Amino acid sequence: MAAEQKVRTRRTGTKTSEPRRESRAGPVEAAQNACRDLAGLIGYPAEGVSAVCRTEDGWRVDIDVLELQRVPDTTSLLATYQVDVDQAGELLQYRRVRRFRRGASDDWPAGHP
């Protein structure tokens, strides 16, 4: 066996000489990790994911978060956070990009049907 190859023992007791690879998160795993990590940092629950986009460094995930629950629910305040995760799904950065009432519709650009 070559000096640079390492042998690991798995839990089953079998040996392998395969090098360990860094896992790459797909869009679903990246979004799940982003939701979990963001909720842990800001202390608000994620309502859902509104976008997932591939970036040069990994993924950008837009997450809608319930920031202030009100009665009636249509007046609750939500926010959209833009979260960047690396290719393994680890959080790189986040920022709040929008705050809105649950019952509010998006503003459409002029000329949009």
Side-chain angles (χ1 to χ4, degrees):
M1 186 181 311
E4 60 271 3
Q5 259 185 331
K6 295 190 179 192
V7 176
R8 279 186 273 265
T9 303
R10 294 183 182 169
R11 289 183 184 192
T12 60
T14 60
K15 291 185 179 181
T16 180
S17 60
E18 295 176 23
R20 188 174 183 167
R21 294 182 187 162
E22 183 179 316
S23 64
R24 301 186 109 205
V28 172
E29 187 179 357
Q32 290 171 340
N33 290 347
C35 286
R36 182 197 64 234
D37 292 346
L38 180 66
L41 285 169
I42 65 173
Y44 298 122
E47 287 278 308
V49 172
S50 53
V52 178
C53 301
R54 188 80 149 122
T55 65
E56 197 173 294
D57 298 326
W59 298 94
R60 173 165 288 157
V61 183
D62 288 356
I63 302 170
D64 295 327
V65 170
L66 177 62
E67 289 193 337
L68 182 61
Q69 190 165 2
R70 291 183 175 161
V71 176
D73 194 45
T74 55
T75 62
S76 293
L77 290 178
L78 287 91
T80 300
Y81 285 80
Q82 198 170 69
V83 180
D84 291 337
V85 295
D86 66 14
Q87 293 184 15
E90 297 294 318
L91 187 132
L92 297 172
Q93 65 180 357
Y94 74 93
R95 67 187 181 111
R96 185 171 67 191
V97 294
R98 179 173 171 242
R99 199 164 190 213
F100 58 98
R101 281 182 299 116
R102 185 184 296 278
S105 64
D106 286 340
D107 293 327
W108 295 100
H112 193 281

